[in-house]
Amino acid sequence: MIVDLPDTTVSKISKALVKIREEGGAVALGRVLTLVIATDPEHLEDAVAAANDASREHPMRVVVVAVDQGAEHIVEARINAQIRVGGDAGASEVIVLRAFGAAASDSESLVTGLLLPDAPVVVWWAGVWPGHAAQTSLGRIATRRITDATTHPDPQQALVDLGHNYTPGDTDLAWSRITLWRGQLATVLDQPPYESVDSIRVRGSVESPSTTLLAAWLHQQLLAPVEHVLHEDKAGGWGVDSVELTRISGTIVLSRTHDAVAQLSAPGQPIHDLSLPRRSLRDCLAEELRHLDPDELYGRVVTSGVKDLTAAQ
């Protein structure tokens, strides 16, 4: 069910939510968090779809703040709202706010009255880049802050900015996109022969901040020199292309051969095809919502790891 509330207020939205719960039986009980999505109209529906899918694992209230570029310069302050529940909201309740004029310049005041009481607040910037996330009006009220370096005009520079501005509670979807890569590589190294890694080579697209984070993580974990190769990718590509780990017995190579398949070769072993699907927005968001405490490993990688990797190049 979708309820439109044109030219409304936060108070009227709250009353409409209560009325919907009383009339339709939709309840907020069991909601574990409030997810605030800061976005623009272009990315709004994709972000809501990902949140709806993730809500089946994490029942939550979703508050979307969608601001058109230049909307804060409109003379008349106005809020157009939409409430989505039931089949249009997954296992959540979605409140979409489109703000104009002075209302568009203060996102914190827009969402404060719509947050679930005594529940963590997670803010996700979907399709937009917040700069220093922890210093934004929404970032200051959040337990976790989720950014996406791929939305920055220069994704590699975005990682440098994230490192400089890192505050415990920050995370980035570029990190969750390499969870499967990290798991496969850890599994390979957990098998005999238990040799140390002498050198590392990571190859991927210059448009993929995940490639850089993977290289920085390997460098920190294995304490081996890393060759970090980024190529110009004009066709979209696959992000991370391959990882090579060289040991005394030979080189282990994990390389993507298809959107959902990678090939693993190791000395003395047959070549294996492994399931390594490109992670969807829903998968990455759901993973980040599982951790409401600071991700200390990500913090070390995006700060000292990326810095050390850049200095070594």
Side-chain angles (χ1 to χ4, degrees):
M1 179 173 69
I2 297 178
V3 178
D4 289 312
L5 300 170
D7 196 8
T8 188
T9 65
V10 173
S11 175
K12 291 178 180 178
I13 296 169
S14 297
K15 292 177 181 178
L17 281 169
V18 173
K19 183 178 179 181
I20 290 171
R21 287 198 293 269
E22 291 176 345
E23 294 180 352
V27 298
L29 298 178
R31 304 286 190 246
V32 298
L33 59 91
T34 302
L35 174 65
V36 179
I37 303 176
T39 187
D40 55 29
E42 179 183 353
H43 298 92
L44 189 154
E45 293 303 333
D46 287 342
V48 170
N52 286 347
D53 286 345
S55 73
R56 304 185 193 283
E57 182 178 340
H58 311 280
M60 56 189 169
R61 172 176 289 180
V62 179
V63 182
V64 184
V65 181
V67 178
D68 279 304
Q69 186 174 9
E72 66 274 13
H73 300 303
I74 296 176
V75 175
E76 181 186 2
R78 187 174 77 257
I79 304 172
N80 293 336
Q82 187 179 78
I83 300 174
R84 306 180 187 182
V85 295
D88 295 292
S92 63
E93 52 191 6
V94 179
I95 306 161
V96 179
L97 306 174
R98 293 180 172 88
F100 305 89
S105 62
D106 189 1
S107 298
E108 181 181 355
S109 64
L110 283 178
V111 305
T112 299
L114 300 173
L115 304 178
L116 292 174
D118 303 320
V121 177
V122 179
V123 178
W124 170 34
W125 287 268
V128 295
W129 182 253
H132 192 170
Q135 293 300 316
T136 63
S137 60
L138 290 177
R140 286 192 290 268
I141 65 173
T143 304
R144 290 294 301 274
R145 294 166 293 276
I146 304 173
T147 56
D148 189 348
T150 61
T151 63
H152 191 282
D154 183 348
Q156 300 301 323
Q157 180 59 43
L159 290 182
V160 176
D161 295 343
L162 287 171
H164 287 161
N165 298 328
Y166 176 75
T167 303
D170 291 354
T171 191
D172 193 272
L173 294 182
W175 176 244
S176 47
R177 288 190 182 103
I178 58 172
T179 296
L180 299 182
W181 280 89
R182 294 193 293 124
Q184 290 287 4
L185 292 168
T187 299
V188 170
L189 293 176
D190 201 32
Q191 300 173 2
Y194 304 106
E195 301 169 336
S196 60
V197 174
D198 298 320
S199 65
I200 304 164
R201 187 174 190 267
V202 180
R203 186 175 185 274
S205 167
V206 71
E207 299 297 325
S208 168
S210 297
T211 302
T212 302
L213 287 176
L214 182 59
W217 173 74
L218 287 168
H219 181 53
Q220 281 195 332
Q221 297 300 309
L222 301 178
L223 302 177
V226 177
E227 183 184 359
H228 178 218
V229 181
L230 297 176
H231 61 81
E232 293 289 340
D233 186 353
K234 302 298 183 184
W238 289 320
V240 181
D241 293 336
S242 63
V243 176
E244 300 176 16
L245 307 175
T246 301
R247 303 187 293 187
I248 293 176
S249 59
T251 299
I252 299 169
V253 181
L254 180 63
S255 60
R256 188 181 286 285
T257 57
H258 188 268
D259 230 10
V261 179
Q263 194 173 80
L264 174 66
S265 64
Q269 299 289 331
I271 295 176
H272 298 283
D273 286 332
L274 305 175
S275 175
L276 193 68
R278 186 201 290 250
R279 305 198 76 195
S280 68
L281 192 58
R282 180 265 175 213
D283 292 335
C284 294
L285 179 61
E287 178 182 329
E288 293 300 344
L289 294 178
R290 292 183 199 122
H291 311 287
L292 296 180
D293 53 331
D295 188 337
E296 296 179 358
L297 178 58
Y298 166 77
R300 291 196 298 271
V301 171
V302 80
T303 52
S304 60
V306 171
K307 182 179 178 180
D308 293 345
L309 182 69
T310 303
Q313 297 300 305

